[in-house]
Every structure is written in C-alpha cells, then in structure tokens.
Amino acid sequence: MEHEDAKPHVFPNARKPGELLFAMLVLALALLLISQIGHQTTWLPGKGFAAQPRLWPLIGLGTMTIFGALHLWSTSRNNRTPGRWREALVWVSSLEYVFWYLLYVASVPYAGYLLATLVFCLFLTWRAGYRSARPFLVAALFGLAVVLFFKTTLNVKIPGGAVYEHLPSGARNFMLRYF
C-alpha cells in the first residue's frame, strides 16, 4: 500500500504495512545473535585488539542491534497504515520456495544432480505460473547449463545419484563424472 503523499521524504510520518513487524523481527534477530557471541567466538590472550576473532562479529552485531533499535523506535512513532498481517502473510508464503529448495537438495543423492536439477527447474517454472512450452524449454536449458557448469567445468564434487547405479557400467561412470 503506497502513501498518499508520493513525495520522497527522509523522515516519513507514516509507516508502510509490515514495517513495524519487520523492525521488531530485525531487532529480535540482532539480540538473539549478539546473545550467542560468547558461545560462537572467543577472545584470545596475547592477540592484538584488531586480530581478536570476536571483534568484528561484535562490531557487526552491535551496530545491527543499535540500528535495529533505532529503526524500531522511529517506526513505532509513525502513524500506522493498515495491512501488517497481510504483508506478513506474503513473507510467510515465500517460505514455500525454501521448502522446495530443501526438497531439491534432499533429492540429489537419490535422483542424481542432472535429473533433480531439471525437475527442480521445470517445477519452479510451473509454480511461477508459466504454462507455455518456451519457458519450460528455457528452464530445462538453464538446468542443463547449471549442471554442466558446476559438475563438468568447475568439477564440484556432488554425490552421484542412487539412480545411476542402475545404468550400465560405462554410462554409470560417464554420468557420475559429468552429470
């Protein structure tokens, strides 16, 4: 939902839908991360101040916390624009694509990198609303290019699929090496 006043402004007097929720989530994440810094990093004796492993994460998370608090404070002072939960539902609905990606990653050891990538690209094309042949062809070529780039060109070690075990010996070795 857009502001009625379309002029750009440095200090807005109304907040966009979901802006307060976003500010609260960012501050909560910053506080959670900075509370864990003692468990995740260390302060080494005898090391210089700038060489301490905890210094730069502490600076980054400290500034994130300060600016998150300032953002929450300034946002809470502005007039409310309705639609916060509608905006939050949009954010939550985008988590669907995280689920599909995790399913893709989990399927690679079974279906193989080539087949899993092609099915993932084609499914996402369908899920994005494309229904004609051309987007599916582009998605299939993109998936093939990704596989060839990572597996063949960069020689990234990706586990072969269990489905490759059912291929004849020569084809199995070829698929394990290049796809």
Side-chain angles (χ1 to χ4, degrees), residues 53-73:
R54 186 175 290 171
L55 177 66
W56 296 108
L58 183 63
I59 290 172
L61 292 175
T63 54
M64 182 178 171
T65 303
I66 291 168
F67 286 111
L70 288 173
H71 184 218
L72 180 62
W73 174 73

Side-chain angles (χ1 to χ4, degrees), residues 27 30 88 122 163:
L27 182 60
L122 293 172
V163 72

Side-chain angles (χ1 to χ4, degrees), residues 91-163:
W91 299 346
V92 170
S93 68
S94 66
L95 294 177
E96 171 197 353
Y97 292 95
V98 174
F99 169 76
W100 294 125
Y101 182 73
L102 292 175
L103 188 63
Y104 160 68
V105 170
S107 70
V108 167
Y110 302 104
Y113 189 44
L114 177 65
L115 182 61
T117 303
L118 288 176
V119 169
F120 180 69
C121 289
L122 293 172
F123 176 76
L124 283 187
T125 302
W126 177 80
R127 184 63 190 94
Y130 295 102
R131 299 292 189 263
S132 63
R134 184 176 176 170
F136 284 104
L137 178 64
V138 170
L141 290 174
F142 173 77
L144 182 62
V146 166
V147 170
L148 289 174
F149 181 73
F150 282 100
K151 189 80 175 181
T152 304
T153 305
L154 296 180
N155 205 14
V156 174
K157 303 294 182 210
I158 298 171
V163 72

Side-chain angles (χ1 to χ4, degrees), residues 18-81:
E19 193 171 356
L20 182 64
L21 181 63
F22 177 78
M24 288 189 296
L25 290 175
V26 167
L27 182 60
L29 177 65
L31 290 172
L32 173 71
L33 291 174
I34 205 164
S35 72
Q36 300 300 312
I37 200 162
H39 302 290
Q40 300 297 320
T41 62
T42 185
W43 202 267
L44 298 176
K47 288 270 188 178
F49 185 70
Q52 292 292 331
R54 186 175 290 171
L55 177 66
W56 296 108
L58 183 63
I59 290 172
L61 292 175
T63 54
M64 182 178 171
T65 303
I66 291 168
F67 286 111
L70 288 173
H71 184 218
L72 180 62
W73 174 73
S74 69
T75 300
S76 64
R77 295 178 45 160
N78 292 334
N79 298 327
R80 180 177 182 262
T81 304

